[in-house]
Amino acid sequence: MKRYVAFAFVLLAGCSPKAGPTLTLQPNRLLYTSADINRVSLVDSIRRIRSGGLLLGRNVKITLRDGTQKKIPQHEIWGYSDGKGNVWRHFRKSFFQVVRVSDVVEYVSTRSRFVGQGVTVHEPVWLYSKTLDSRIVGSRKRALKIDGEPLSD
């Protein structure tokens, strides 16, 4: 049963009309603003990044390539690029992968859902924002209605 659910999910995800190339850049970089996506930098080459937690976490824990660790207040970073160069935006104590930038910015996140008998399904969840710095919402229509002003996380 588990194999069939997982196979069906992979099959459906691959056939999704939203499947396509993702936004990529120089890998393993910490991004302090959305403008850093277009800048080339060798500073802050990261090995690991962890959000501080949902309730009391105010910092993001970063491990740099040289092994040193530092804590950065969550409100000071915009996101990061992973080892494959995928861009991840930090918003409201979570990270969302930036998939496409066009009339709206498209993000994808994964939601795990228990369906019974020890089977958990991992589903993609699509989210949107008008700009790289505006609030992330659940629909394109709502994203287009947002005025585009940067909002605090």
Side-chain angles (χ1 to χ4, degrees):
M1 173 73 179
K2 289 181 186 178
R3 287 186 197 161
Y4 298 117
V5 172
F7 177 73
F9 173 73
V10 170
L11 184 64
L12 290 172
C15 296
S16 168
K18 294 182 186 238
T22 59
L23 178 67
T24 59
L25 72 141
Q26 182 182 359
N28 301 315
R29 285 186 48 211
L30 192 58
L31 305 170
Y32 292 96
T33 67
S34 60
D36 289 346
I37 291 173
N38 298 319
R39 294 187 185 129
V40 176
S41 173
L42 298 176
V43 179
D44 289 326
S45 181
I46 60 175
R47 179 177 7 168
R48 174 190 249 171
I49 186 167
R50 280 192 256 165
S51 186
L54 293 176
L55 296 176
L56 301 175
R58 294 185 178 150
N59 296 319
V60 174
K61 298 173 187 174
I62 310 269
T63 304
L64 300 176
R65 283 275 170 217
D66 64 5
T68 59
Q69 295 181 348
K70 60 182 182 177
K71 293 181 181 180
I72 300 174
Q74 288 188 13
H75 67 274
E76 289 185 12
I77 69 163
W78 183 88
Y80 72 97
S81 67
D82 63 16
K84 296 179 181 177
N86 297 319
V87 179
W88 294 82
R89 178 181 170 190
H90 184 262
F91 182 73
R92 295 194 176 155
K93 299 186 180 184
S94 296
F95 288 99
F96 302 94
Q97 184 179 3
V98 179
V99 177
R100 187 174 300 128
V101 179
S102 59
D103 58 335
V104 296
V105 181
E106 296 180 10
Y107 306 88
V108 69
S109 181
T110 304
R111 177 179 65 190
S112 298
R113 186 170 54 94
F114 180 74
V115 293
Q117 297 182 352
V119 178
T120 302
V121 177
H122 303 286
E123 303 171 321
V125 177
W126 292 89
L127 302 162
Y128 308 90
S129 67
K130 186 166 185 177
T131 68
L132 285 167
D133 296 312
S134 60
R135 182 170 33 125
I136 296 175
V137 294
S139 73
R140 289 179 71 86
K141 189 174 181 179
R142 280 185 58 207
L144 289 169
K145 288 182 180 179
I146 294 173
D147 59 10
E149 292 298 314
L151 299 174
S152 62
D153 291 345

